[in-house]
Amino acid sequence: MSTETNDDIIYTKLRKHLDSFPIAYPKTESGVELEILKELFTPEHAKIALRLRTIPQTIEEIYPFFKRKDKSLEWLQANLSEMVKKGLINGGKGPDGRMYYSGAPLAVGFFEYQVNRLTPTFAKNFAQYMDEGYRDAIIKTKVPQLRTIPASKAVKTIVVDEKVDHKNLVTPFDEVEELLANASNTISLANCVCRQTKEILGKGCKHTMETCFQFGGAAHYYINNGLGKQVTKEEALEIIKKGMKEGLVLQPSNTQKPFALCLCCGDSCEILSNANKMENPAQFFQTNYYAEVDVEKCTGCKLCEVKCPMHAAVINDAKKSTIDLGRCIGCGVCVTVCNFDAVHLVKKGEAIPPESTIDLYKQIAIARAESESEEN
Ligand code: SF4
Ligand code: SF4
């Protein structure tokens, strides 16, 4: 006889509902994904989340279902507001000034929204879920939510050969200054939820904590809900430059106009540290570059080997740095740390990111459907 309670059924339904979003929420044998939901969502909030789509809706559009259940509009409003505050769903004003609500995936979504309020249980369950299924599910679509852009000329100019100037080499969407200029003027700066997670698990790194930017609607969400503070473009650029000098990897959202930009490290970043466990992680990153060493100039000082977040730069028996192209994500950290001008980035493609977040999620949904039909 089944011992499943009504609440268990609700969380199982919510798991399936979240899994129907472009970003998967797969089932595991241990059921850790349900434990994550049980910790964050009350049964009532889970029932409401079940009715939310990935496309933002007004409360009037969401309400008819709850009206049939004899719930008042005020009841729904209070719960939606509480769920936004708790970082369970997306919610913010649209261009018409009305509030819009949508369901959030785990990442980028209600995992990130737990910044500054992570519990040890959540951190432990999230790490377990990564290992038991979430990492594979998000990576196998092959359309990443974030992409990698090179450390820019703000630290060191990237050259392929003497005849090619910087402007011609770097794709505009890959240049952090242009990306920032093109971004919304409303910018928020938040702590890195990945570093906070690792810190709780006793595996914290020493990198700067406040390194995650949100733009436009995402910035309003962070500022309004106390998850981040507002900064100017000039302040953002200063922090980005410091991050590049620190050897952090620039990972903007995979969209032409970014909704986020993270300064990541191989120690704590959930994407980089999990990709590091794979044999050829470069294939899962959207990057237009790879590193190449000038053996004549390389002194074998090992700085690139120590700082490379993907362990792609390795010193060989001849005491020269060599790059494992299966691991190199073209972040340019090695270029910024090398004091001998012995390593540079080579352009390998000109992938243009999707125009908007909606386009990105459409591409992810298509890629996910293709990958699942290949498996069946
Ligand atoms: S940092 Fe530069 S000089 Fe040192 S090992 Fe790497 S490529 Fe060679
Ligand atoms: S070798 Fe490492 S540090 Fe250099 S670009 Fe590749 S991944 Fe980045």
Side-chain angles (χ1 to χ4, degrees):
M1 202 174 74
S2 167
T3 55
E4 213 175 27
T5 65
N6 282 343
D7 285 355
D8 289 338
I9 293 168
I10 291 162
Y11 291 113
T12 302
K13 278 186 182 170
L14 181 57
R15 203 280 307 158
K16 286 183 186 162
H17 179 64
L18 293 173
D19 197 36
S20 72
F21 289 3
I23 315 295
Y25 196 76
K27 185 177 158 67
T28 65
E29 270 190 32
S30 72
V32 67
E33 73 283 5
L34 298 177
E35 296 307 313
I36 290 173
L37 298 180
K38 284 177 193 170
E39 184 184 350
L40 297 181
F41 293 77
T42 63
E44 195 146 74
H45 286 166
K47 282 183 199 163
I48 294 171
L50 269 171
R51 299 293 145 196
L52 299 183
R53 303 179 186 168
T54 47
I55 295 186
Q57 293 175 291
T58 61
I59 190 167
E60 289 77 18
E61 289 168 320
I62 300 164
Y63 183 53
F65 172 86
F66 295 99
K67 191 175 180 189
R68 289 196 294 278
K69 302 277 172 198
D70 292 329
K71 299 288 188 188
S72 70
L73 192 64
E74 293 69 32
W75 170 88
L76 182 59
Q77 181 63 77
N79 276 289
L80 286 172
S81 300
E82 196 185 342
M83 290 170 79
V84 170
K85 267 273 170 251
K86 284 176 73 184
L88 306 180
I89 59 173
N90 298 313
K93 281 190 180 157
D96 58 4
R98 298 159 79 197
M99 279 297 289
Y100 285 80
Y101 304 92
S102 62
L106 175 60
V108 177
F110 61 87
F111 163 59
E112 282 78 7
Y113 302 157
Q114 299 315 306
V115 67
N116 303 337
R117 54 186 163 193
L118 289 161
T119 66
T121 306
F122 181 88
K124 181 182 124 320
N125 286 341
F126 183 79
Q128 185 182 339
Y129 191 29
M130 268 286 174
D131 283 342
E132 291 185 5
Y134 195 65
R135 175 175 57 237
D136 287 352
I138 51 175
I139 280 178
K140 75 181 175 192
T141 66
K142 297 197 177 170
V143 179
Q145 292 184 78
L146 302 180
R147 61 203 175 89
T148 309
I149 62 171
S152 83
K153 62 180 179 181
V155 176
K156 189 174 249 182
T157 302
I158 303 160
V159 288
V160 167
D161 67 50
E162 301 307 325
K163 290 174 235 125
V164 183
D165 72 14
H166 181 82
K167 271 279 169 220
N168 287 333
L169 174 65
V170 179
T171 308
F173 299 116
D174 289 344
E175 195 152 26
V176 75
E177 286 88 347
E178 287 213 27
L179 190 128
L180 204 56
N182 186 34
S184 159
N185 281 328
T186 308
I187 304 174
S188 65
L189 171 65
N191 284 323
C192 170
V193 71
C194 298
R195 291 192 189 109
Q196 287 188 336
T197 304
K198 287 284 195 300
E199 207 165 83
I200 288 180
L201 295 172
K203 299 174 186 167
C205 67
K206 294 199 165 29
H207 292 292
T208 305
M209 190 59 90
E210 241 182 350
T211 57
C212 293
F213 296 97
Q214 300 76 35
F215 304 97
H220 283 291
Y221 183 94
Y222 269 67
I223 295 162
N224 293 342
N225 294 298
L227 306 179
K229 66 182 182 198
Q230 186 155 8
V231 292
T232 63
K233 284 193 177 177
E234 292 70 31
E235 287 167 336
L237 192 56
E238 275 314 300
I239 293 162
I240 291 166
K241 284 180 182 175
K242 270 194 209 156
M244 286 192 284
K245 283 182 183 151
E246 196 178 315
L248 299 179
V249 178
L250 305 183
Q251 296 208 104
S253 53
N254 191 8
T255 46
Q256 291 182 20
K257 194 167 172 150
F259 63 81
L261 168 66
C262 299
L263 309 185
C264 306
C265 60
D267 305 315
S268 295
C269 168
E270 290 297 343
I271 296 171
L272 296 180
S273 64
N274 278 294
N276 250 323
K277 295 174 187 165
M278 300 170 156
E279 211 168 309
N280 291 305
Q283 61 182 308
F284 299 111
F285 283 76
Q286 184 159 326
T287 172
N288 286 326
Y289 310 89
Y290 63 88
E292 191 175 74
V293 175
D294 181 339
V295 287
E296 297 298 321
K297 291 182 180 173
C298 177
T299 64
C301 75
K302 288 192 177 182
L303 249 185
C304 56
E305 186 181 83
V306 172
K307 295 285 184 180
C308 173
M310 299 307 294
H311 308 296
V314 178
I315 306 301
N316 65 15
D317 293 344
K319 302 240 176 334
K320 301 287 178 188
S321 176
T322 55
I323 308 295
D324 179 346
L325 296 186
R327 303 197 65 81
C328 176
I329 59 169
C331 65
V333 166
C334 52
V335 181
T336 65
V337 299
C338 178
N339 293 316
F340 301 93
D341 201 20
V343 58
H344 51 254
L345 292 186
V346 177
K347 197 172 186 179
K348 67 176 178 184
E350 194 143 4
I352 305 290
E355 206 171 316
S356 66
T357 311
I358 291 178
D359 292 328
L360 170 65
Y361 286 133
K362 274 186 196 159
Q363 287 190 19
I364 292 174
I366 292 167
R368 185 179 162 200
E370 282 172 359
S371 126
E372 285 174 358
S373 77
E374 272 167 26
E375 279 171 14
N376 296 328

